[in-house]
Amino acid sequence: MSSDTVLPKDAQPSAELLKEVVQLRAIIDQHNYRYYVQDEPSVPDAEYDRLFQRLNQIEREYPELATPDSPTQRVGSKPISSFDEVKHEKAMLSLDNAFSEEDLRDFDRRVRERLSNETLPISYACEPKLDGIAVSLLYENGILVRGATRGDGATGENITHNVRTIASIPLRLLGEGIPQRLEVRGEIYMPKAGFQALNERANAKGEKAFVNPRNAAAGSLRQLDARITATRPLEMCCYGVGVFSGGVMPDAHVDSMQQLHRWGFKVSRYLELVEGADGCLDYYQRMAELRNNLPYEIDGLVFKVNDYSLQQRLGFVSRYPRWAIAHKFPAQEEITQVENIEFQVGRTGAITPVARLKPVFVGGVTVSNATLHNMDEITRLDLKIKDWVIIRRAGEVIPKVVSVVVEQRPDDVVDVVFPEHCPVCHSDVERVEGEAIARCSGGLSCSAQRKEALRHYASRKAMDIEGLGAKLIDTLVDKDLLNSIADIYQLKRQDIAGLERMGEKSADNLLAAIDKSKSTSLAHFIYSLGIREVGEATARNLAKAFGDLDGLIEANEEQLLAVSDVGEIVAHHIRTFFQQPHNLEVISALRDAGVHWPVIEVAEPQAQPLLNKVYVLTGTLEHMGRDEAKEKLQQLGAKVSGSVSKKTDCVIAGPGAGSKLAKAESLGVAVLDEAGFIELLSSFGVPVL
């Protein structure tokens, strides 16, 4: 029966239909296993969706066929009123911790002594210790009947309605040899990418973000409404077996995990069998190097005696098994106090707040500074100077402030005030509406941006000063020979010839290139100034529109907006740049040094028949590149945008055009193919090779 078949209401399901339901569930379960457990999807999403929709259609027509283990029944329709208690038939014990090599070797020594085996190495199963929530899953005759939290180890909470929503947890076990009763234990966690996306959605809605992936996972499992849990990117990885009866299980940990994998569970790909304490320590070093590249958080490793019979002989002490230990990594989160907040200026002018902290040992090093990114982040955290905060450091990543401990807020906290002027050069700070980053507008004169401004000015597409590369610029700045781009034209032979890798000939060649650069074009000079969002095409349009630099410097916003490819934001950047006295002083010094260009005859408006028309290019153009097509449109006065909106006048669509073309058609925007575009250009006398 095809997916388009309409089922008659009140009809009894036929034997053929019952067979189809069984087959659909088996196929979908297998696809889920390949996708969520093995990370090896076997069919396109569209094919999976067709199968799922077909099964859903049948179960809607015949509700009596919708069994609890069906893939369509993961999410319930009604919230529960509260969490019931669950008594664990077999206690879910904690693990003792090792924090050093000595601790681990002591553990291994105790294991061997209790087993009267002081010389032969013990085989240990090693696996990452996921930073999530421990859970127990109970299966009866292969069907999931209960999910519970660890709780205090003896009693947990029934979260069956929530664990059913997690795609990596099978509702029905796969394969053969399925026991009558099986309790699988594991960790439910939230991958880093999912956590980041969840917090981004929360921030966009103005909701409170989660502190870390573990808290996000815990909060997701504490939902009374499983429909909320179903929207959270949770996964489950199993690490052990609890209650087991009515079947056969391997007699070692690694083998039993492989069996669970065959039955449909996700098992750590880093599960490994090693010999003795040395093998454990080698594993620790390898995983410590991998840790920050893993797609999920781990806070340590777990080492277990692999042989179940040896585990039974070793037994338990207090709350811990004697046959396992958690070797913890150095803490990545600690609490400390913000002593001050300072503002740093980056090489592109971005102004970043930095928290000066009371020194604290975290992630293996002493931390006294943490990035705060921007003022929006300070507002989101509700951070004040002298607050107590949680600091997180992952490997070599710059430490960051995760959250404020509001309960410990002192009475003498001070609000954070963002500076209106650059803390380095005192130029105006500009922040475009809708952008998070504030920037210094003194691009040519700000010493914090000096090297970047010099590199851009000397680059091939700007003033094209051959030989003045990044390394030489760094050396000249460090030796205080270049303080602004105007100083390039004050360099002397003796300044350069004595530098590393710079002989007399190299110095002469560089000075010749510098002298040559004095003769340039207005478009290249405008581009070389490094005005925000003024690229080569915009610089060309500005040069054509104003003819000389003085007209551009004095232009008001209305005049700038009349230029092709200049919108409100770019006009704002241009106006702000030329309003800074420091920038004008540098430009004056460049002119005094002999930098010049020919004045351009300003084109009459009639020469730009597409003036202020908005065009969008999409797809592949076969007779010219996108850059060439853009340039030709701009020559005619058009503004070329990267997105389609109601303000778009025309879309040029080549083969492979996708969403932009679809949006244009939905908005009723005119669309031209490449042949029509070439005909348009020809009608205005623009040649196409």
Side-chain angles (χ1 to χ4, degrees):
M1 189 178 291
S2 74
S3 59
D4 296 326
T5 303
V6 178
L7 299 171
K9 291 191 175 182
D10 301 324
Q12 292 297 315
S14 64
E16 182 183 352
L17 192 63
L18 291 173
K19 182 179 179 181
E20 183 185 1
V21 167
V22 172
Q23 290 175 338
L24 282 169
R25 288 176 183 163
I27 293 170
I28 293 170
D29 283 342
Q30 190 61 38
H31 288 326
N32 282 337
Y33 175 69
R34 293 288 300 273
Y35 187 93
Y36 294 105
V37 177
Q38 294 189 317
D39 293 325
E40 296 175 354
S42 52
V43 293
D45 290 347
E47 173 61 18
Y48 177 89
D49 291 342
R50 281 192 288 272
L51 295 168
F52 193 92
Q53 289 166 6
R54 171 60 179 161
L55 178 59
N56 205 27
Q57 177 195 10
I58 295 173
E59 291 179 349
R60 283 200 307 268
E61 294 293 332
Y62 298 98
E64 67 272 20
L65 298 182
T67 58
D69 61 310
S70 173
T72 64
Q73 304 300 304
R74 283 192 174 273
V75 184
S77 59
K78 295 180 180 179
I80 62 172
S81 57
S82 63
F83 294 100
D84 296 330
E85 280 192 354
V86 172
K87 296 283 186 182
H88 296 300
E89 297 177 51
K90 187 175 180 181
M92 295 185 70
L93 300 176
S94 301
L95 295 176
D96 198 4
N97 292 320
F99 295 99
S100 65
E101 177 180 340
E102 183 180 4
D103 290 345
L104 183 64
R105 290 193 182 279
D106 283 345
F107 163 74
D108 175 64
R109 175 185 51 78
R110 292 192 301 271
V111 167
R112 288 185 287 107
E113 286 177 352
R114 290 193 176 95
L115 295 174
S116 300
N117 179 9
E118 298 184 14
T119 56
L120 295 178
I122 300 294
S123 294
Y124 291 104
C126 313
E127 54 197 310
K129 186 177 183 297
L130 292 165
D131 195 11
I133 307 301
V135 294
S136 160
L137 305 174
L138 182 63
Y139 290 79
E140 293 182 350
N141 296 316
I143 306 297
L144 175 65
V145 296
R146 190 189 70 207
T149 61
R150 177 185 173 276
D152 62 5
T155 304
E157 290 182 323
N158 191 324
I159 54 168
T160 307
H161 68 301
N162 284 332
V163 300
R164 288 177 58 85
T165 69
I166 301 172
S168 52
I169 294 178
L171 301 180
R172 173 191 286 271
L173 300 185
L174 306 175
E176 302 176 349
I178 295 169
Q180 292 177 357
R181 294 186 85 231
L182 170 66
E183 180 195 2
V184 177
R185 294 177 174 181
E187 201 88 359
I188 290 178
Y189 61 97
M190 187 173 290
K192 294 175 184 176
F195 170 72
Q196 182 178 349
L198 179 65
N199 270 354
E200 286 175 355
R201 291 197 298 271
N203 290 334
K205 295 178 182 177
E207 299 172 352
K208 186 177 180 180
F210 288 99
V211 173
N212 53 47
R214 187 184 188 282
N215 286 359
S220 301
L221 292 177
R222 289 285 303 164
Q223 298 293 326
L224 295 173
D225 189 345
R227 290 170 294 186
I228 298 176
T229 307
T231 66
R232 304 287 173 79
L234 298 173
E235 294 187 14
M236 185 269 195
C237 184
C238 60
Y239 60 67
V241 176
V243 174
F244 180 87
S245 63
V248 177
M249 200 71 177
D251 57 7
H253 178 74
V254 170
D255 295 334
S256 66
M257 291 300 99
Q258 291 170 349
Q259 178 60 69
L260 290 181
H261 186 61
R262 288 191 290 271
W263 283 335
F265 293 96
K266 182 186 284 285
V267 174
S268 174
R269 60 178 294 191
Y270 296 103
L271 176 65
E272 190 174 317
L273 191 63
V274 304
E275 295 295 313
D278 288 339
C280 292
L281 290 167
D282 175 68
Y283 181 83
Y284 178 92
Q285 293 301 324
R286 287 185 280 119
M287 290 305 299
E289 292 174 6
L290 283 174
R291 180 188 185 188
N292 294 314
N293 295 322
L294 295 176
Y296 42 77
E297 298 282 2
I298 63 174
D299 59 0
L301 308 170
V302 177
F303 301 125
K304 301 175 183 177
V305 173
N306 187 49
D307 191 314
Y308 283 157
S309 64
L310 297 183
Q311 288 186 10
Q312 192 169 9
R313 284 173 56 189
L314 288 163
F316 305 87
V317 55
S318 182
R319 298 165 51 221
Y320 307 121
R322 289 194 179 104
W323 42 264
I325 196 165
H327 194 171
K328 303 298 280 291
F329 290 125
Q332 291 191 300
E333 289 187 351
E334 285 292 350
I335 186 171
T336 189
Q337 190 174 24
V338 176
E339 296 183 329
N340 197 10
I341 292 177
E342 299 177 359
F343 293 88
Q344 294 182 343
V345 185
R347 61 183 180 84
T348 61
I351 298 177
T352 305
V354 176
R356 304 301 183 195
L357 309 169
K358 187 173 290 185
V360 61
F361 192 76
V362 55
V365 300
T366 299
V367 170
S368 55
N369 303 311
T371 181
L372 290 165
H373 302 296
N374 51 57
M375 196 62 195
D376 287 352
E377 179 73 357
I378 292 175
T379 302
R380 184 186 71 79
L381 291 166
D382 186 26
L383 176 65
K384 302 178 187 298
I385 298 170
K386 297 190 178 181
D387 262 334
W388 287 89
V389 295
I390 294 174
I391 300 297
R392 180 172 179 79
R393 181 181 182 275
E396 299 304 317
V397 178
I398 299 171
K400 67 174 290 186
V401 177
V402 176
S403 62
V404 175
V405 186
V406 180
E407 297 81 4
Q408 293 183 220
R409 173 166 283 170
D411 295 333
D412 59 344
V413 293
V414 180
D415 288 339
V416 181
V417 179
F418 205 91
E420 295 182 359
H421 298 93
C422 173
V424 175
C425 72
H426 308 296
S427 295
D428 293 341
V429 169
E430 63 167 341
R431 181 174 177 182
V432 177
E433 185 176 352
E435 290 188 9
I437 298 174
R439 296 179 189 273
C440 165
S441 58
L444 297 183
S445 57
C446 183
S447 60
Q449 304 173 65
R450 185 181 304 156
K451 290 182 179 179
E452 185 67 18
L454 287 161
R455 289 169 189 156
H456 179 76
Y457 184 85
S459 65
R460 184 176 60 82
K461 294 181 178 180
M463 301 299 279
D464 192 18
I465 305 178
E466 188 175 352
L468 189 56
K471 289 185 178 180
L472 181 56
I473 287 173
D474 288 346
T475 301
L476 292 169
V477 170
D478 294 343
K479 290 186 175 296
D480 208 27
L481 293 170
L482 288 182
N483 291 306
S484 79
I485 58 176
D487 289 343
I488 292 173
Y489 298 98
Q490 305 305 319
L491 289 173
K492 302 292 188 292
R493 193 169 187 264
Q494 59 268 27
D495 295 332
I496 307 169
L499 299 176
E500 185 179 358
R501 297 184 182 179
M502 289 294 292
E504 293 184 359
K505 185 175 181 181
S506 297
D508 289 339
N509 290 339
L510 176 60
L511 289 173
I514 290 172
D515 189 63
K516 181 182 176 183
S517 73
K518 292 179 182 179
S519 179
T520 185
S521 68
L522 178 58
H524 277 89
F525 185 76
I526 294 171
Y527 175 67
S528 76
L529 297 177
I531 304 169
R532 283 191 66 200
E533 298 195 33
V534 175
E536 296 171 83
T538 305
R540 283 196 298 270
N541 292 338
L542 290 168
K544 290 177 183 177
F546 293 100
D548 202 358
L549 188 64
D550 292 334
L552 175 59
I553 291 174
E554 296 168 4
N556 58 35
E557 186 172 353
E558 184 179 352
Q559 290 171 309
L560 290 169
L561 289 174
V563 178
S564 176
D565 206 30
V566 175
E568 292 182 2
I569 292 175
V570 176
H572 170 77
H573 291 324
I574 295 169
R575 290 281 297 140
T576 302
F577 181 88
F578 288 121
Q579 285 172 350
Q580 305 309 308
H582 303 299
N583 292 338
L584 296 178
E585 288 172 10
V586 174
I587 291 171
S588 178
L590 288 168
R591 284 173 145 176
D592 290 344
V595 177
H596 63 282
W597 50 85
V599 175
I600 301 172
E601 185 177 343
V602 178
E604 294 295 326
Q606 290 78 4
Q608 293 186 309
L610 299 182
L611 187 65
N612 293 328
K613 296 290 185 182
V614 179
Y615 277 68
V616 172
L617 296 162
T618 183
T620 303
L621 300 182
E622 297 174 349
H623 291 83
M624 70 185 82
R626 293 268 285 273
D627 288 342
E628 182 185 352
K630 180 179 179 180
E631 186 175 349
K632 292 183 183 299
L633 285 167
Q634 290 172 341
Q635 286 175 5
L636 295 168
K639 295 183 179 181
V640 180
S641 174
S643 59
V644 178
S645 69
K646 292 180 180 178
K647 295 182 179 180
T648 304
D649 292 291
C650 183
V651 170
I652 310 298
S659 59
K660 292 179 183 178
L661 175 59
K663 187 171 183 180
E665 291 172 341
S666 69
L667 293 174
V669 173
V671 177
L672 288 177
D673 59 14
E674 188 171 11
F677 177 46
I678 292 172
E679 185 178 339
L680 175 71
L681 294 176
S682 299
S683 70
F684 295 127
V686 177
V688 178
L689 298 178

